[in-house]
Amino acid sequence: MEYSRITNINNPLFKQMHQLMQDVFPPEEVLEFDLWKEPLEDPGIRVFVAVLDGKVVGATEYRYYEDFNVAMTDFTIIGQAGLGIGPFLAQKRLVDLHELAAANGKTLSGMFAEIYDPYRVDHYEFGGVKPMDPYVRREVLAHLGYKRLDFSYVHPSWNNDGEAVTGLDLCFLPMDVEAHELETDLIVKFLKRYYTVLPSRPESWYTMIENLEAKEKVDLLYF
């Protein structure tokens, strides 16, 4: 299996990856094909696919913020079970992120990720791929060391229509396994930076930010 970076919308592997996203994710979570041009060319956004026999069988997008010294996993896609795609992507991604942090003169402090809460959202099939089932994914994140940030999370729809997407938790993987809380200043700065690309945000998103700004720290909880 190969770990191949995509930096151009004309890369033949990107068409396969975008189709895989449509097969797996709900429509509001998939950015239109043409709108990927700038993100793919952005050196700070890292899009990699797992390629087996010329076919894209998995993908992950993530980014490293040098000034925050944290990463964000935008998504991980496992195209089919039984190939070890999940561990392959997770391991390759972490090696890459540690190298990016080292080049920044630091040791990676942690990584954000979003995850559906299957107890609130249970109607998505995720392409019928069992490893993508929210119950399974939450268990995988828990085993990797992720913890749930203790606040009601809202994110703007990737359709950029100002609609709120709920039923998700924002999680964080601390490299310090003993960490049990996270400073809200980091969370707020990260969220404002991350969603700059979506100018149309619901009022509930701004309310969430205001509530966070009123606190100093947020607890990291087990799933």
Side-chain angles (χ1 to χ4, degrees):
M1 203 178 303
E2 299 176 16
Y3 191 62
S4 179
R5 187 176 183 186
I6 296 178
T7 58
N8 190 295
I9 199 170
N10 296 316
N11 186 326
L13 294 176
F14 177 67
K15 184 176 182 179
Q16 290 189 46
M17 189 197 90
H18 195 261
Q19 183 59 57
L20 189 59
M21 293 182 71
Q22 292 177 301
D23 292 342
V24 169
F25 290 135
E28 67 271 17
E29 290 295 292
V30 182
L31 197 64
E32 291 180 26
F33 188 96
D34 291 340
L35 296 181
W36 275 92
K37 185 179 186 301
E38 289 187 14
L40 288 177
E41 294 174 357
D42 185 335
I45 298 177
R46 306 180 73 77
V47 179
F48 284 83
V49 289
V51 183
L52 183 63
D53 298 329
K55 179 183 178 183
V56 172
V57 293
T60 185
E61 176 186 308
Y62 53 97
R63 59 195 81 193
Y64 172 68
Y65 297 87
E66 293 185 355
D67 49 346
F68 301 154
N69 190 35
V70 297
M72 169 65 175
T73 300
D74 297 325
F75 63 77
T76 301
I77 301 175
I78 299 170
Q80 63 186 95
L83 296 178
I85 299 168
F88 175 80
L89 292 174
Q91 291 163 9
K92 292 289 189 180
R93 179 176 60 216
L94 194 56
V95 167
D96 187 36
L97 285 169
H98 280 307
E99 290 177 351
L100 291 171
N104 191 34
K106 299 178 181 179
T107 299
L108 182 68
S109 65
M111 180 162 30
F112 288 101
E114 295 174 336
I115 183 67
Y116 278 100
D117 182 351
Y119 299 99
R120 288 182 288 157
V121 179
D122 60 2
H123 59 284
Y124 292 137
E125 293 297 327
F126 292 94
V129 182
K130 279 302 177 184
M132 293 297 294
D133 183 286
Y135 289 98
V136 176
R137 292 169 69 196
R138 283 175 80 89
E139 286 300 311
V140 170
L141 287 186
H143 281 80
L144 288 174
Y146 280 91
K147 295 179 182 178
R148 178 174 63 85
L149 285 160
D150 189 21
F151 70 94
S152 296
Y153 182 58
V154 176
H155 88 60
S157 167
W158 287 107
N159 289 330
N160 198 29
D161 52 12
E163 292 296 315
V165 177
T166 58
L168 289 154
D169 287 318
L170 184 64
C171 308
F172 189 73
L173 169 64
M175 294 297 108
D176 176 4
V177 295
E178 300 298 325
H180 62 275
E181 58 188 10
L182 196 63
E183 294 182 356
T184 53
D185 183 58
L186 172 62
I187 300 170
V188 169
K189 286 180 178 177
F190 160 72
L191 289 174
K192 287 182 176 180
R193 177 85 59 82
Y194 188 66
Y195 286 114
T196 300
V197 70
L198 294 176
S200 298
R201 305 172 206 166
E203 188 61 36
S204 55
W205 185 88
Y206 291 100
T207 300
M208 175 191 72
I209 294 296
E210 290 176 3
N211 291 337
L212 284 171
E213 289 175 331
K215 305 175 183 178
E216 289 188 7
K217 296 182 179 180
V218 172
D219 289 336
L220 287 165
L221 305 177
Y222 292 108
F223 290 110

